[in-house]
Coordinates of all heavy atoms in Angstrom, one line a residue:
M1 N 5.1 11.2 31.5 CA 4.7 11.2 30.1 C 5.7 10.5 29.2 O 5.5 9.6 28.5 CB 4.3 12.6 29.7 CG 4.2 12.8 28.1 SD 2.8 11.8 27.5 CE 2.9 12.1 25.8
W2 N 6.9 11.1 29.3 CA 8.0 10.5 28.5 C 8.3 9.1 28.9 O 8.6 8.2 28.1 CB 9.2 11.4 28.5 CG 9.0 12.6 27.6 CD1 8.9 13.9 28.1 CD2 8.7 12.6 26.2 NE1 8.6 14.7 27.0 CE2 8.5 14.0 25.9 CE3 8.7 11.6 25.2 CZ2 8.2 14.4 24.6 CZ3 8.4 12.0 23.9 CH2 8.2 13.4 23.6
L3 N 8.2 8.9 30.2 CA 8.5 7.6 30.8 C 7.5 6.6 30.2 O 7.8 5.5 29.8 CB 8.5 7.6 32.3 CG 8.9 6.3 33.0 CD1 10.3 6.0 32.7 CD2 8.6 6.4 34.5
C4 N 6.2 7.0 30.2 CA 5.2 6.1 29.7 C 5.5 5.7 28.2 O 5.4 4.5 27.9 CB 3.8 6.8 29.7 SG 3.0 6.7 31.3
L5 N 5.8 6.7 27.4 CA 6.0 6.5 26.0 C 7.2 5.5 25.9 O 7.1 4.5 25.1 CB 6.4 7.8 25.4 CG 6.5 7.8 23.9 CD1 5.1 7.5 23.3 CD2 6.9 9.1 23.4
C6 N 8.2 5.7 26.7 CA 9.4 4.8 26.6 C 9.0 3.4 27.0 O 9.4 2.5 26.3 CB 10.4 5.3 27.7 SG 11.9 4.4 27.7
V7 N 8.2 3.2 28.0 CA 7.8 1.8 28.4 C 6.9 1.2 27.3 O 7.1 0.0 26.9 CB 7.0 1.9 29.7 CG1 6.4 0.5 30.0 CG2 8.0 2.3 30.8
L8 N 6.0 2.0 26.7 CA 5.2 1.5 25.6 C 6.0 1.0 24.5 O 5.7 0.0 23.9 CB 4.2 2.6 25.2 CG 2.9 2.8 26.0 CD1 2.1 4.0 25.5 CD2 2.1 1.5 25.9
L9 N 7.0 1.8 24.1 CA 7.8 1.4 22.9 C 8.7 0.3 23.3 O 9.2 -0.4 22.4 CB 8.6 2.6 22.4 CG 7.7 3.7 21.9 CD1 8.5 5.0 21.5 CD2 6.9 3.3 20.6
S10 N 9.0 0.1 24.5 CA 9.8 -0.9 25.1 C 11.1 -1.1 24.3 O 11.7 -2.2 24.3 CB 9.1 -2.3 25.1 OG 8.9 -2.8 23.8
G11 N 11.6 0.0 23.8 CA 12.9 -0.1 23.1 C 14.0 0.5 23.8 O 15.1 0.6 23.3
C12 N 13.8 0.9 25.1 CA 14.8 1.6 25.8 C 16.0 0.7 26.2 O 17.1 1.1 26.2 CB 14.2 2.3 27.0 SG 13.0 3.5 26.5
G13 N 15.7 -0.5 26.6 CA 16.8 -1.4 27.2 C 17.8 -1.8 26.1 O 18.9 -1.5 26.2
E14 N 17.2 -2.4 25.0 CA 18.1 -2.9 24.0 C 17.5 -2.5 22.7 O 16.9 -3.4 22.0 CB 18.3 -4.4 24.2 CG 17.0 -5.1 24.8 CD 17.2 -6.5 25.1 OE1 18.2 -6.8 25.9 OE2 16.5 -7.3 24.7
P15 N 17.7 -1.3 22.2 CA 17.0 -0.8 21.0 C 17.3 -1.6 19.8 O 16.3 -2.0 19.1 CB 17.7 0.6 20.8 CG 18.6 0.8 22.0 CD 18.7 -0.4 22.8
G16 N 18.5 -2.0 19.5 CA 18.8 -2.7 18.2 C 18.0 -3.9 18.1 O 17.3 -4.1 17.1
E17 N 18.1 -4.8 19.1 CA 17.5 -6.1 19.0 C 16.0 -6.0 18.8 O 15.4 -6.7 18.0 CB 17.8 -6.9 20.3 CG 18.1 -8.3 20.0 CD 18.6 -9.0 21.3 OE1 19.6 -8.5 21.9 OE2 17.9 -9.9 21.8
V18 N 15.3 -5.3 19.7 CA 13.9 -5.1 19.7 C 13.4 -4.6 18.4 O 12.5 -5.1 17.7 CB 13.4 -4.3 20.9 CG1 11.9 -4.0 20.7 CG2 13.7 -4.9 22.2
A19 N 14.0 -3.5 17.9 CA 13.6 -2.9 16.7 C 13.8 -3.9 15.5 O 12.9 -3.9 14.6 CB 14.4 -1.6 16.4
A20 N 14.8 -4.6 15.5 CA 15.1 -5.6 14.4 C 13.9 -6.5 14.2 O 13.4 -6.7 13.1 CB 16.4 -6.3 14.6
G21 N 13.6 -7.2 15.3 CA 12.5 -8.2 15.3 C 11.2 -7.5 14.9 O 10.4 -8.1 14.1
E22 N 10.9 -6.4 15.4 CA 9.7 -5.7 15.2 C 9.5 -5.3 13.7 O 8.5 -5.4 13.1 CB 9.5 -4.5 16.1 CG 8.2 -3.8 16.0 CD 7.9 -2.8 17.1 OE1 8.9 -2.5 17.9 OE2 6.8 -2.2 17.1
E23 N 10.6 -4.8 13.1 CA 10.6 -4.4 11.8 C 10.3 -5.6 10.8 O 9.4 -5.5 9.9 CB 11.9 -3.7 11.4 CG 11.8 -2.9 10.2 CD 13.2 -2.3 9.8 OE1 13.8 -1.7 10.7 OE2 13.6 -2.4 8.7
T24 N 11.0 -6.7 11.0 CA 10.7 -7.9 10.2 C 9.3 -8.3 10.4 O 8.6 -8.6 9.5 CB 11.7 -9.0 10.6 OG1 13.0 -8.5 10.5 CG2 11.5 -10.2 9.7
Y25 N 8.9 -8.3 11.7 CA 7.5 -8.8 12.0 C 6.5 -7.9 11.2 O 5.5 -8.4 10.6 CB 7.3 -8.7 13.5 CG 5.8 -8.8 13.8 CD1 5.1 -10.1 13.8 CD2 5.0 -7.7 14.2 CE1 3.8 -10.2 14.1 CE2 3.7 -7.8 14.4 CZ 3.1 -9.0 14.4 OH 1.7 -9.1 14.7
N26 N 6.6 -6.6 11.4 CA 5.6 -5.7 10.8 C 5.6 -5.8 9.3 O 4.5 -5.7 8.7 CB 6.0 -4.2 11.1 CG 5.6 -3.9 12.6 OD1 4.7 -4.5 13.1 ND2 6.2 -2.9 13.1
R27 N 6.7 -6.1 8.7 CA 6.7 -6.2 7.2 C 6.2 -7.5 6.7 O 5.6 -7.6 5.7 CB 8.2 -6.0 6.8 CG 8.2 -5.2 5.5 CD 9.5 -5.1 4.9 NE 10.3 -3.9 5.4 CZ 11.5 -3.7 5.0 NH1 12.1 -4.4 4.1 NH2 12.1 -2.6 5.4
Y28 N 6.5 -8.7 7.4 CA 6.3 -10.0 6.8 C 5.3 -10.9 7.6 O 4.6 -11.7 7.0 CB 7.6 -10.7 6.6 CG 8.5 -10.1 5.6 CD1 9.5 -9.3 6.1 CD2 8.3 -10.2 4.3 CE1 10.4 -8.6 5.2 CE2 9.1 -9.6 3.4 CZ 10.2 -8.8 3.8 OH 11.0 -8.2 2.9
C29 N 5.4 -10.8 8.9 CA 4.6 -11.7 9.7 C 3.3 -11.2 10.2 O 2.4 -12.0 10.4 CB 5.5 -12.1 10.9 SG 7.3 -12.2 10.6
F30 N 3.2 -9.9 10.3 CA 2.0 -9.2 10.8 C 0.8 -9.7 10.1 O -0.2 -10.0 10.7 CB 2.2 -7.7 10.6 CG 1.0 -6.9 10.9 CD1 0.7 -6.4 12.2 CD2 0.2 -6.6 9.8 CE1 -0.4 -5.7 12.4 CE2 -0.9 -5.8 10.0 CZ -1.2 -5.3 11.3
S31 N 0.8 -9.8 8.8 CA -0.4 -10.0 8.0 C -1.2 -11.3 8.5 O -2.4 -11.3 8.4 CB -0.1 -10.1 6.5 OG 0.9 -11.0 6.3
C32 N -0.4 -12.3 8.8 CA -1.1 -13.5 9.2 C -1.1 -13.6 10.8 O -2.1 -14.1 11.3 CB -0.4 -14.7 8.7 SG -0.4 -14.8 6.9
H33 N -0.1 -13.2 11.4 CA 0.0 -13.6 12.9 C -0.7 -12.6 13.7 O -1.0 -12.9 14.9 CB 1.5 -13.7 13.3 CG 2.0 -15.0 12.9 ND1 2.0 -16.1 13.6 CD2 2.7 -15.4 11.7 CE1 2.5 -17.2 13.0 NE2 3.0 -16.7 11.9
A34 N -1.0 -11.4 13.2 CA -1.8 -10.4 14.0 C -3.2 -10.9 14.2 O -3.8 -10.8 15.2 CB -1.7 -9.0 13.4
A35 N -3.8 -11.4 13.1 CA -5.2 -11.7 13.1 C -5.4 -13.2 13.3 O -6.5 -13.7 13.5 CB -5.8 -11.3 11.7
G36 N -4.3 -14.0 13.3 CA -4.4 -15.4 13.5 C -5.0 -16.1 12.2 O -5.8 -17.0 12.3
L37 N -4.6 -15.6 11.1 CA -5.1 -16.1 9.8 C -4.7 -17.5 9.6 O -3.6 -17.9 9.9 CB -4.5 -15.2 8.7 CG -5.3 -15.0 7.4 CD1 -6.4 -14.0 7.7 CD2 -4.4 -14.5 6.3
A38 N -5.7 -18.3 9.1 CA -5.4 -19.7 8.8 C -4.9 -20.5 9.9 O -4.1 -21.4 9.8 CB -4.5 -19.8 7.6
G39 N -5.2 -20.1 11.1 CA -4.8 -20.9 12.3 C -3.4 -20.5 12.8 O -2.8 -21.2 13.6
A40 N -2.9 -19.3 12.3 CA -1.6 -18.9 12.8 C -1.7 -18.5 14.3 O -2.7 -17.8 14.7 CB -1.1 -17.7 12.0
P41 N -0.7 -18.9 15.1 CA -0.7 -18.5 16.5 C -0.6 -16.9 16.6 O 0.2 -16.3 15.9 CB 0.5 -19.1 17.1 CG 1.4 -19.6 15.9 CD 0.4 -19.7 14.8
K42 N -1.5 -16.3 17.3 CA -1.6 -14.9 17.3 C -0.5 -14.2 18.1 O -0.1 -14.7 19.2 CB -2.9 -14.4 17.9 CG -4.1 -14.5 17.0 CD -5.2 -13.7 17.5 CE -6.5 -14.2 16.9 NZ -7.6 -13.3 17.4
T43 N 0.0 -13.1 17.6 CA 1.0 -12.3 18.3 C 0.7 -12.0 19.7 O -0.4 -11.4 19.9 CB 1.3 -11.0 17.5 OG1 1.5 -11.4 16.1 CG2 2.5 -10.2 18.0
G44 N 1.5 -12.3 20.6 CA 1.4 -11.8 22.0 C 0.3 -12.6 22.8 O 0.2 -12.4 24.0
I45 N -0.3 -13.6 22.2 CA -1.3 -14.5 23.0 C -0.5 -15.7 23.5 O -0.3 -16.7 22.8 CB -2.5 -14.9 22.1 CG1 -3.1 -13.7 21.4 CG2 -3.5 -15.7 22.9 CD1 -4.0 -12.8 22.3
A46 N -0.1 -15.6 24.7 CA 0.8 -16.6 25.3 C 0.2 -18.0 25.2 O 0.9 -19.0 24.9 CB 1.1 -16.3 26.7
D47 N -1.1 -18.1 25.4 CA -1.8 -19.5 25.3 C -1.6 -20.1 24.0 O -1.5 -21.4 23.9 CB -3.3 -19.3 25.7 CG -3.5 -19.1 27.1 OD1 -2.5 -19.1 27.9 OD2 -4.7 -18.9 27.5
M48 N -1.7 -19.3 22.9 CA -1.6 -19.9 21.6 C -0.1 -20.3 21.3 O 0.1 -21.2 20.5 CB -2.0 -18.9 20.6 CG -3.5 -18.6 20.7 SD -4.1 -17.6 19.4 CE -4.5 -18.8 18.1
W49 N 0.8 -19.7 22.0 CA 2.2 -20.0 21.7 C 2.8 -21.0 22.6 O 3.8 -21.7 22.2 CB 3.1 -18.7 21.8 CG 2.9 -17.8 20.6 CD1 2.1 -16.7 20.4 CD2 3.6 -18.0 19.3 NE1 2.2 -16.2 19.1 CE2 3.1 -17.0 18.4 CE3 4.5 -19.0 18.8 CZ2 3.5 -16.9 17.1 CZ3 4.9 -18.9 17.5 CH2 4.4 -17.8 16.7
A50 N 2.2 -21.2 23.8 CA 2.8 -22.1 24.7 C 3.1 -23.5 24.2 O 4.2 -24.0 24.3 CB 1.9 -22.2 25.9
P51 N 2.1 -24.2 23.5 CA 2.4 -25.5 23.0 C 3.5 -25.5 21.9 O 4.3 -26.5 21.8 CB 1.1 -26.0 22.4 CG 0.2 -24.8 22.3 CD 0.7 -23.8 23.3
R52 N 3.6 -24.4 21.2 CA 4.7 -24.3 20.2 C 6.0 -24.0 20.8 O 7.0 -24.6 20.4 CB 4.3 -23.2 19.2 CG 3.0 -23.6 18.5 CD 2.6 -22.6 17.4 NE 1.2 -22.8 16.9 CZ 1.0 -23.5 15.8 NH1 2.0 -24.1 15.1 NH2 -0.2 -23.7 15.4
L53 N 6.0 -23.1 21.8 CA 7.2 -22.8 22.5 C 7.8 -24.0 23.2 O 9.0 -24.1 23.4 CB 6.9 -21.6 23.4 CG 8.2 -20.9 24.0 CD1 9.1 -20.4 22.9 CD2 7.7 -19.8 24.9
A54 N 6.9 -24.9 23.6 CA 7.3 -26.1 24.4 C 8.3 -26.9 23.5 O 9.1 -27.7 24.1 CB 6.1 -26.9 24.8
K55 N 8.2 -26.8 22.2 CA 9.1 -27.5 21.3 C 10.5 -27.0 21.4 O 11.5 -27.6 21.0 CB 8.6 -27.4 19.9 CG 7.3 -28.1 19.6 CD 6.9 -28.1 18.2 CE 6.3 -26.8 17.7 NZ 5.7 -26.9 16.4
G56 N 10.7 -25.7 21.9 CA 12.0 -25.1 21.9 C 12.1 -24.0 20.8 O 11.6 -24.2 19.7
R57 N 12.8 -23.0 21.2 CA 13.0 -21.9 20.2 C 13.8 -22.3 19.0 O 13.5 -21.8 17.9 CB 13.8 -20.7 20.9 CG 12.9 -19.8 21.7 CD 11.9 -19.0 20.8 NE 12.6 -18.1 19.9 CZ 12.9 -16.8 20.2 NH1 12.6 -16.3 21.4 NH2 13.5 -16.1 19.3
E58 N 14.7 -23.3 19.1 CA 15.5 -23.7 17.9 C 14.5 -24.4 16.9 O 14.6 -24.2 15.7 CB 16.6 -24.7 18.3 CG 17.4 -24.3 19.4 CD 16.8 -24.5 20.8 OE1 16.3 -25.6 21.0 OE2 16.7 -23.6 21.6
V59 N 13.6 -25.1 17.5 CA 12.6 -25.9 16.6 C 11.7 -24.9 15.9 O 11.4 -25.0 14.7 CB 11.8 -26.9 17.4 CG1 10.7 -27.6 16.6 CG2 12.7 -27.9 18.0
L60 N 11.3 -23.8 16.7 CA 10.4 -22.8 16.0 C 11.1 -22.1 14.9 O 10.5 -21.8 13.9 CB 10.0 -21.8 17.1 CG 9.0 -22.3 18.2 CD1 8.5 -21.1 19.0 CD2 7.8 -23.0 17.6
L61 N 12.4 -21.8 15.1 CA 13.2 -21.2 14.0 C 13.3 -22.2 12.8 O 13.1 -21.7 11.7 CB 14.6 -20.8 14.5 CG 15.5 -20.2 13.5 CD1 14.8 -18.9 12.9 CD2 16.8 -19.9 14.1
A62 N 13.5 -23.4 13.1 CA 13.6 -24.4 12.0 C 12.3 -24.5 11.2 O 12.3 -24.5 10.0 CB 14.0 -25.8 12.6
T63 N 11.2 -24.6 12.0 CA 9.9 -24.7 11.2 C 9.6 -23.4 10.5 O 8.9 -23.4 9.4 CB 8.7 -25.0 12.2 OG1 8.7 -24.1 13.3 CG2 8.8 -26.4 12.7
T64 N 10.0 -22.3 11.0 CA 9.8 -21.0 10.3 C 10.6 -21.0 9.0 O 10.1 -20.6 8.0 CB 10.3 -19.8 11.2 OG1 9.4 -19.8 12.4 CG2 10.1 -18.5 10.5
I65 N 11.8 -21.5 9.1 CA 12.6 -21.5 7.9 C 12.0 -22.5 6.8 O 12.0 -22.1 5.6 CB 14.1 -21.9 8.2 CG1 14.8 -20.8 9.0 CG2 14.9 -22.3 7.0 CD1 16.0 -21.2 9.7
E66 N 11.6 -23.6 7.3 CA 11.0 -24.6 6.3 C 9.6 -24.3 6.0 O 9.1 -24.7 4.9 CB 11.1 -26.0 7.0 CG 12.4 -26.6 7.0 CD 12.5 -27.8 7.9 OE1 11.4 -28.5 8.1 OE2 13.6 -28.1 8.4
G67 N 8.8 -23.7 6.9 CA 7.4 -23.5 6.7 C 6.6 -24.7 7.1 O 7.2 -25.7 7.4
I68 N 5.3 -24.4 7.3 CA 4.4 -25.5 7.7 C 3.3 -25.5 6.7 O 2.4 -24.6 6.7 CB 3.9 -25.4 9.1 CG1 5.0 -25.2 10.1 CG2 3.0 -26.6 9.5 CD1 4.5 -24.9 11.5
A69 N 3.2 -26.5 5.8 CA 2.2 -26.5 4.8 C 0.8 -26.7 5.4 O 0.8 -27.5 6.4 CB 2.5 -27.5 3.7
P70 N -0.2 -26.1 5.0 CA -0.3 -25.1 3.9 C -0.2 -23.7 4.4 O 0.0 -22.8 3.5 CB -1.6 -25.4 3.2 CG -2.5 -25.8 4.4 CD -1.6 -26.5 5.4
G71 N -0.4 -23.5 5.7 CA -0.6 -22.1 6.1 C 0.6 -21.2 6.3 O 0.6 -20.0 5.9
M72 N 1.7 -21.8 6.8 CA 2.9 -21.0 7.1 C 3.9 -21.1 6.0 O 4.5 -22.2 5.8 CB 3.4 -21.5 8.4 CG 4.8 -21.0 8.8 SD 4.8 -19.2 9.3 CE 6.6 -18.9 9.3
P73 N 4.2 -20.0 5.2 CA 5.1 -20.1 4.1 C 6.5 -20.2 4.6 O 6.9 -19.7 5.6 CB 4.8 -18.8 3.3 CG 4.3 -17.9 4.4 CD 3.6 -18.7 5.4
P74 N 7.4 -20.9 3.8 CA 8.8 -20.9 4.2 C 9.4 -19.5 4.4 O 9.1 -18.6 3.7 CB 9.5 -21.5 3.0 CG 8.4 -22.3 2.3 CD 7.2 -21.6 2.6
R75 N 10.1 -19.3 5.5 CA 10.7 -18.1 6.0 C 9.6 -17.0 6.2 O 10.0 -15.8 6.1 CB 11.8 -17.6 5.0 CG 12.9 -18.6 4.7 CD 14.1 -18.0 4.0 NE 15.0 -17.4 5.0 CZ 16.0 -18.0 5.6 NH1 16.2 -19.3 5.4 NH2 16.8 -17.4 6.5
G76 N 8.4 -17.4 6.4 CA 7.3 -16.4 6.6 C 7.3 -15.4 5.4 O 6.9 -14.2 5.7
L77 N 7.6 -15.8 4.2 CA 7.6 -15.0 3.0 C 8.8 -14.0 2.9 O 8.9 -13.3 1.9 CB 6.3 -14.2 2.9 CG 5.0 -15.0 2.5 CD1 3.8 -14.0 2.4 CD2 5.2 -15.8 1.2
C78 N 9.7 -14.0 3.9 CA 10.8 -13.1 3.8 C 12.0 -13.9 3.3 O 12.8 -14.4 4.1 CB 11.1 -12.5 5.1 SG 12.5 -11.3 5.0
Q79 N 12.2 -14.0 2.0 CA 13.3 -14.8 1.4 C 14.6 -14.2 1.8 O 15.6 -14.9 1.9 CB 13.1 -15.0 -0.1 CG 11.8 -15.6 -0.5 CD 11.6 -17.0 0.1 OE1 12.6 -17.7 0.4 NE2 10.4 -17.4 0.4
E80 N 14.7 -12.9 1.9 CA 16.0 -12.2 2.1 C 16.3 -12.1 3.6 O 17.4 -11.6 3.9 CB 16.0 -10.9 1.4 CG 15.0 -9.8 1.9 CD 13.6 -9.9 1.3 OE1 13.3 -11.0 0.8 OE2 12.9 -8.9 1.3
C81 N 15.4 -12.5 4.4 CA 15.7 -12.4 5.9 C 16.8 -13.4 6.3 O 16.8 -14.5 5.8 CB 14.5 -12.7 6.7 SG 13.3 -11.3 6.8
T82 N 17.7 -13.0 7.1 CA 18.7 -13.9 7.7 C 18.0 -14.8 8.8 O 16.9 -14.4 9.2 CB 19.8 -13.2 8.4 OG1 19.3 -12.5 9.5 CG2 20.5 -12.3 7.4
D83 N 18.6 -15.9 9.1 CA 18.0 -16.7 10.2 C 17.9 -15.9 11.5 O 16.9 -16.0 12.2 CB 18.9 -17.9 10.5 CG 18.9 -18.9 9.3 OD1 18.1 -18.7 8.3 OD2 19.6 -19.9 9.4
A84 N 18.9 -15.0 11.7 CA 18.8 -14.2 13.0 C 17.7 -13.2 12.9 O 17.0 -13.0 13.9 CB 20.1 -13.4 13.1
Q85 N 17.4 -12.7 11.8 CA 16.2 -11.8 11.7 C 14.9 -12.5 11.9 O 14.0 -12.0 12.5 CB 16.2 -11.1 10.3 CG 17.2 -10.0 10.2 CD 17.3 -9.4 8.8 OE1 17.3 -10.2 7.8 NE2 17.4 -8.1 8.6
L86 N 14.8 -13.7 11.4 CA 13.6 -14.5 11.6 C 13.5 -14.8 13.1 O 12.4 -14.7 13.6 CB 13.7 -15.8 10.7 CG 13.6 -15.6 9.2 CD1 13.8 -16.9 8.5 CD2 12.3 -15.0 8.8
N87 N 14.6 -15.1 13.7 CA 14.6 -15.5 15.1 C 14.1 -14.3 15.9 O 13.3 -14.4 16.9 CB 15.9 -16.0 15.6 CG 15.8 -16.7 16.9 OD1 14.9 -17.5 17.1 ND2 16.8 -16.5 17.7
D88 N 14.6 -13.1 15.6 CA 14.2 -11.9 16.2 C 12.7 -11.6 16.1 O 12.0 -11.2 17.0 CB 14.9 -10.6 15.7 CG 16.4 -10.6 16.2 OD1 16.7 -11.3 17.1 OD2 17.2 -9.8 15.6
A89 N 12.2 -11.9 14.9 CA 10.7 -11.7 14.6 C 9.9 -12.7 15.5 O 8.8 -12.3 16.0 CB 10.4 -11.9 13.2
I90 N 10.4 -13.9 15.6 CA 9.7 -14.8 16.5 C 9.7 -14.3 17.9 O 8.7 -14.3 18.6 CB 10.4 -16.2 16.4 CG1 10.3 -16.8 15.0 CG2 9.7 -17.2 17.4 CD1 11.2 -18.1 14.8
G91 N 10.8 -13.8 18.3 CA 10.9 -13.3 19.7 C 10.0 -12.1 19.9 O 9.3 -12.0 21.0
F92 N 9.8 -11.3 18.9 CA 8.9 -10.2 19.0 C 7.4 -10.7 19.1 O 6.7 -10.2 20.0 CB 9.0 -9.3 17.8 CG 8.0 -8.1 17.8 CD1 8.3 -7.0 18.7 CD2 6.8 -8.2 17.1 CE1 7.4 -6.0 18.8 CE2 5.9 -7.1 17.2 CZ 6.2 -6.0 18.0
M93 N 7.1 -11.7 18.4 CA 5.7 -12.2 18.4 C 5.4 -12.8 19.8 O 4.3 -12.8 20.3 CB 5.5 -13.3 17.3 CG 5.3 -12.7 16.0 SD 4.5 -13.8 14.9 CE 5.9 -14.8 14.3
L94 N 6.4 -13.4 20.4 CA 6.2 -14.1 21.7 C 6.1 -13.0 22.8 O 5.4 -13.3 23.8 CB 7.5 -15.0 22.0 CG 7.6 -16.2 21.1 CD1 8.9 -16.9 21.4 CD2 6.4 -17.2 21.5
S95 N 6.7 -11.9 22.6 CA 6.8 -10.9 23.7 C 5.8 -9.7 23.5 O 5.5 -9.1 24.5 CB 8.2 -10.4 23.9 OG 8.6 -9.7 22.7
A96 N 5.4 -9.5 22.3 CA 4.6 -8.3 22.0 C 3.2 -8.4 22.6 O 2.7 -9.4 22.9 CB 4.4 -8.2 20.5
K97 N 2.7 -7.2 22.9 CA 1.3 -7.1 23.3 C 0.4 -7.3 22.1 O 0.7 -6.7 21.0 CB 1.0 -5.8 24.0 CG 1.9 -5.5 25.2 CD 1.3 -6.2 26.4 CE 2.3 -6.3 27.6 NZ 3.3 -7.3 27.5
P98 N -0.7 -8.0 22.2 CA -1.6 -8.2 21.1 C -2.2 -6.9 20.6 O -2.3 -6.0 21.4 CB -2.6 -9.2 21.6 CG -2.6 -9.1 23.1 CD -1.2 -8.7 23.4
Ligands
LIG1 C1 0.7 -16.3 4.9 C2 0.5 -16.3 6.4 C3 1.7 -16.3 7.3 C4 2.8 -15.4 7.3 C5 3.1 -14.3 6.3 C6 3.7 -15.8 8.4 N1 3.1 -16.9 9.0 FE1 3.9 -17.9 10.6 N2 2.4 -19.2 10.6 C7 1.3 -19.1 9.8 C8 0.3 -20.2 10.1 C9 -1.0 -20.5 9.4 C10 0.9 -21.0 11.2 C11 0.4 -22.2 11.8 C12 0.9 -23.4 11.0 C13 0.4 -24.7 11.6 O1 0.7 -25.1 12.7 O2 -0.3 -25.4 10.8 C14 2.2 -20.3 11.5 C15 3.1 -20.7 12.4 C16 4.3 -20.1 12.8 C17 5.1 -20.5 13.8 C18 5.0 -21.7 14.8 C19 5.8 -22.8 14.2 C20 5.7 -24.1 15.0 O3 6.6 -24.9 14.8 O4 4.7 -24.3 15.7 C21 6.2 -19.6 13.9 C22 7.4 -19.6 14.8 C23 5.9 -18.6 12.8 N3 4.8 -18.9 12.2 C24 6.7 -17.5 12.6 C25 6.5 -16.6 11.5 C26 7.4 -15.5 11.2 C27 8.7 -15.2 12.0 C28 6.9 -14.9 10.2 C29 7.5 -13.6 9.4 C30 8.9 -13.7 9.1 C31 5.7 -15.6 9.8 N4 5.5 -16.6 10.6 C32 4.9 -15.2 8.7 C33 1.0 -18.2 8.8 C34 1.9 -17.2 8.4

C-alpha cells in the first residue's frame, strides 16, 4: 500500500527536483497543457511531444522563455520563474502521466 503510493507520487528517488517541476507546472502550465488548449502539446502524451522534443531540450526551453505566438505565452505566464524552474516544468510535462 505504501509502496504503491510512493510509486504513484514518484517523488521517492529525487524529491526536490520532481516536486519543483510539478509545482511550477500545476501553477502555470497545467491550465493549457493538461487539456491541450489552443493546440498545446498535452502533458504526458509522448506522441504530441515527440516532434517537439526532437528539436532538443535546450530549444524547448528557449521557445518556452520566448513564447510561441499566439498560443504559448512567454515563460508560460510565469514571469518570476527562473530558467531552471521552467526547465523542470518541461521535464515534468514530458514524464508525467496524463
Ligand atoms: C495560455 C496557455 C499556455 C500556458 C499557460 C502554457 N503554455 Fe506551453 N504551449 C501552449 C501552446 C498553445 C503551445 C503550442 C504552441 C505552438 O506550437 O503553436 C505550447 C507549447 C509549449 C512547448 C513546446 C515548445 C516548442 O518549441 O515546441 C513547451 C516546451 C511549453 N509550451 C512549455 C510550457 C511551460 C513550461 C509552461 C508553464 C511554465 C507553459 N508551457 C504554459 C500554451 C500554453
Side-chain angles (χ1 to χ4, degrees):
M1 166 64 184
W2 286 113
L3 183 65
C4 275
L5 191 64
C6 181
V7 169
L8 276 176
L9 294 172
S10 73
C12 296
E14 29 189 57
E17 219 175 302
V18 172
E22 185 168 3
E23 200 182 308
T24 305
Y25 166 77
N26 283 336
R27 218 188 270 182
Y28 296 98
C29 323
F30 169 89
S31 51
C32 295
H33 283 273
L37 212 75
K42 284 197 200 181
T43 307
I45 307 287
D47 284 357
M48 295 186 84
W49 281 101
R52 299 182 186 267
L53 192 56
K55 296 186 279 189
R57 276 293 296 269
E58 312 79 49
V59 176
L60 291 189
L61 179 59
T63 50
T64 297
I65 290 166
E66 283 167 27
I68 305 174
M72 169 70 193
R75 304 194 87 85
L77 289 179
C78 183
Q79 300 307 327
E80 65 273 25
C81 284
T82 63
D83 293 357
Q85 283 174 317
L86 293 174
N87 199 39
D88 284 347
I90 296 169
F92 179 78
M93 286 201 276
L94 291 169
S95 65
K97 298 280 170 279

